[in-house]
Amino acid sequence: MTEKKLPLHLDFHSGLPIYTQIVNQIQSQLVNKILKPGDQLPTVRALAQELRVNFNTVARAYRILDEARIISTQQGRGTYISEIPPPEVSEKLRHESLSALTQRFIAEAFRLGFSEKEVSQMVRDSFKLNKEALDKDSES
């Protein structure tokens, strides 16, 4: 159980608070099994230095994750990913991760000047292409 380096990618221009981005990405890594129960996270101070953000920003993210029972901070020992959450919590995390991803996608598309109609059409086209690729894969 060594301390894991967290591959977090913050977007300082997204409009989404940094602490929310940290929470969402840790949740996403847990859902996608990048992080596993028992994994040790960096200290608040170490993660703040690594991400070049304020200590209080990381502390707030960790506090939110702790309140959601996703992590557990043990005084003097460190911060760890809690045991596997129940299915309803995992499902909620999946939906929150998808929501955050969708918000980032839409915000970036609008920032680039695309209209709602253009974004919707791109999503429909992408679904169609992915479905065709999956169908093709299942045939072989």
Side-chain angles (χ1 to χ4, degrees), residues 9-18 21 103-104 107-108 111:
H9 306 285
L10 302 179
D11 181 353
F12 295 94
H13 303 290
S14 75
L16 197 61
I18 299 302
Q21 291 182 49
Q103 289 172 16
R104 287 195 311 270
E108 184 65 13
R111 190 184 70 74

Side-chain angles (χ1 to χ4, degrees), residues 1-4 26 30 35-43 62 65-66 69-83:
M1 277 193 279
T2 59
E3 187 176 297
K4 256 195 181 316
I26 290 175
L30 179 60
L35 290 172
K36 296 173 181 53
D39 284 348
Q40 185 174 11
L41 299 180
T43 65
Y62 274 24
L65 291 164
D66 193 46
R69 297 188 198 156
I70 293 167
I71 64 171
S72 172
T73 301
Q74 301 163 12
Q75 195 66 33
R77 293 195 57 227
T79 301
Y80 297 86
I81 297 294
S82 299
E83 292 307 309

Side-chain angles (χ1 to χ4, degrees), residues 6-100:
L6 282 178
L8 301 178
H9 306 285
L10 302 179
D11 181 353
F12 295 94
H13 303 290
S14 75
L16 197 61
I18 299 302
Y19 73 89
T20 303
Q21 291 182 49
I22 294 169
V23 168
N24 290 344
Q25 289 184 44
I26 290 175
Q27 288 176 336
S28 176
Q29 290 182 31
L30 179 60
V31 168
N32 293 309
K33 300 188 184 342
I34 296 166
L35 290 172
K36 296 173 181 53
D39 284 348
Q40 185 174 11
L41 299 180
T43 65
V44 171
R45 189 171 313 284
L47 187 57
Q49 286 178 330
E50 181 182 327
L51 297 174
R52 295 188 178 127
V53 299
N54 187 290
F55 172 91
N56 293 319
T57 301
V58 176
R60 186 173 184 182
Y62 274 24
R63 191 169 39 257
I64 291 167
L65 291 164
D66 193 46
E67 288 169 1
R69 297 188 198 156
I70 293 167
I71 64 171
S72 172
T73 301
Q74 301 163 12
Q75 195 66 33
R77 293 195 57 227
T79 301
Y80 297 86
I81 297 294
S82 299
E83 292 307 309
I84 299 172
E88 62 274 6
V89 173
S90 293
E91 192 59 27
K92 181 178 182 239
L93 293 176
R94 284 184 65 241
H95 282 279
E96 288 175 359
S97 294
L98 179 59
S99 177

